[in-house]
Amino acid sequence: MNPQKDSIYANPLGEVDSFKFDEKVVNVFPDMIERSVPGYRAIINAIGLLAEKFYQDNTRCYDLGCSLGAASLSMHHHIARPCEIIAVDSSAAMLNGLQTFLRQSDEVFNIRVECADIRDIAIENASVAVVNFTLQFLPIADRQSFIEKVYQGLQPGGILILSEKLEYDDPRQQTLQTDLHHLFKQSQGYSELEISQKRSALENVLLTETFDQHRARLLNAGFSSVEIWFQYFNFASMIALK
Ligand code: GEK
C-alpha cells in the first residue's frame, strides 16, 4: 500500500455520506490522521514509551481499534523483548492494509491481527490496553460495559491509554476549541470545504464527551487513577491505572 494524500472531501459532494473506514479511507489514512488529529505522532510515540514502562512479562498488549497498527508498531519497537500484541479492528479494509505491511516488512512482528468488533472480543491477561481515538466511535450506551471489560482484562498494575476528541460543558470553550482545531486543519492544508464536508460526514458517527464524563466512567469501572497526560486543543490522551 502506498500512502496517499487525503483529498476525499476536496471536491463538492452533493450529499455527504456518513464517514466509513473503507478502502478509500485506508489508502489515505496515515496522511488523514496526522493532518486531522493534533499531536497524533507524539501520542503514538508516547504509547511506545508507556508500553515499555508498563508491560509485564508473559502478558498481552491490546490495540483496540488499531486501524493500520501505528500504536501496535510503536509498542513492538519499544518493548524490546518477546511480547504478544493483539491488534483489533472491525474494518476489514484497515486490517488488510496492516497485514500487507506486516507481510512485506523484513522485520518479524509479534502482532496478532483480529478482525472483530471491540465490543465482542475477550480481553485477557493484559498489562497494556490502548484505545487510541476509537471509543468515540462506539454508541455512548455501549461505552461503560466496554471500559469495564478492559478493566477486568488488565492485570493489577496494568494501564489503559485512552485518547479521545473532547467536548466542553462551557459553550465558549467548546466554540474556542472547535475553532482552534479548525485552524489546525487549515494549517495542515485542508480547505474550508474539506473541513466542513468532513465535519458533516462525522456527525452522529464520532460522538464526543467531556473529560469529566470519561473520568467518571473509568473510575466507575474500577480504575484507581485517571489523568490526562497529553492534550493539544480538543484532542486528549488519558492514562487510567488499575
Ligand atoms: C491509531 N488507533 O492509528 N470495533 C473495532 N474497531 C472499530 C470499532 C468497533 N466497534 N468502531 C470503530 N473502529 C488508531 C486510530 S481510528 C481513529 C483509530 C480515527 C475502528 C475503525 O475501523 C478505525 O480503524 C478506528 O476504530 C478509529 O492509533 O480515524 O479518527
Side-chain angles (χ1 to χ4, degrees), residues 19 21 29 33 37 40 44 63-71 88-91 94 116-119 132-134 136-138 206:
F19 190 81
F21 291 97
F29 188 73
I33 195 148
V37 174
Y40 173 76
I44 291 294
D63 182 3
L64 301 163
C66 61
S67 300
L68 294 175
V88 185
D89 204 287
S90 54
S91 160
M94 280 290 185
D117 191 306
I118 54 172
R119 288 168 293 183
N132 200 37
F133 301 108
T134 301
Q136 59 197 18
F137 293 105
L138 293 192
L206 193 172

Side-chain angles (χ1 to χ4, degrees), residues 48-220:
L49 295 175
L50 287 163
E52 188 179 341
K53 185 162 178 62
F54 280 86
Y55 176 69
Q56 301 169 25
D57 284 336
N58 304 313
T59 64
R60 296 172 173 163
C61 299
Y62 283 86
D63 182 3
L64 301 163
C66 61
S67 300
L68 294 175
S72 294
L73 295 169
S74 181
M75 290 195 280
H76 167 89
H77 286 128
H78 279 86
I79 303 172
R81 55 193 198 275
C83 65
E84 188 182 2
I85 298 171
I86 300 171
V88 185
D89 204 287
S90 54
S91 160
M94 280 290 185
L95 293 185
N96 277 339
L98 171 56
Q99 263 157 337
T100 304
F101 170 82
L102 295 176
R103 251 196 324 269
Q104 288 175 351
S105 170
D106 294 334
E107 231 179 300
V108 177
F109 292 98
N110 35 21
I111 298 174
R112 194 169 92 209
V113 175
E114 252 182 64
C115 190
D117 191 306
I118 54 172
R119 288 168 293 183
D120 299 336
I121 58 155
I123 298 178
E124 284 159 351
N125 188 28
S127 51
V128 181
V130 174
V131 184
N132 200 37
F133 301 108
T134 301
L135 189 72
Q136 59 197 18
F137 293 105
L138 293 192
I140 289 178
D142 294 349
R143 295 181 186 181
Q144 184 69 42
S145 59
F146 169 71
I147 291 293
E148 280 168 15
K149 177 173 71 173
V150 173
Y151 177 79
Q152 294 301 335
L154 279 168
Q155 292 290 342
I159 188 173
L160 164 63
I161 304 155
L162 174 67
S163 311
E164 288 275 293
K165 182 175 184 186
L166 293 182
E167 173 175 306
Y168 296 82
D169 284 329
D170 174 1
R172 267 201 322 167
Q173 198 64 240
Q174 178 62 27
T175 304
L176 171 63
Q177 299 286 342
T178 306
D179 289 351
L180 290 169
H181 180 222
H182 193 117
L183 282 175
F184 173 84
K185 290 191 75 165
Q186 276 182 329
S187 76
Q188 297 297 309
Y190 282 118
S191 68
E192 289 294 327
L193 179 69
E194 284 179 293
I195 296 169
S196 89
Q197 292 194 133
K198 175 80 177 284
R199 190 172 291 168
S200 306
L202 284 172
E203 217 165 298
N204 305 320
V205 176
L206 193 172
L207 304 168
T208 51
E209 294 175 285
T210 63
F211 172 59
D212 287 348
Q213 287 170 313
H214 286 294
R215 187 163 194 277
R217 179 181 294 120
L218 291 160
L219 293 174
N220 205 278

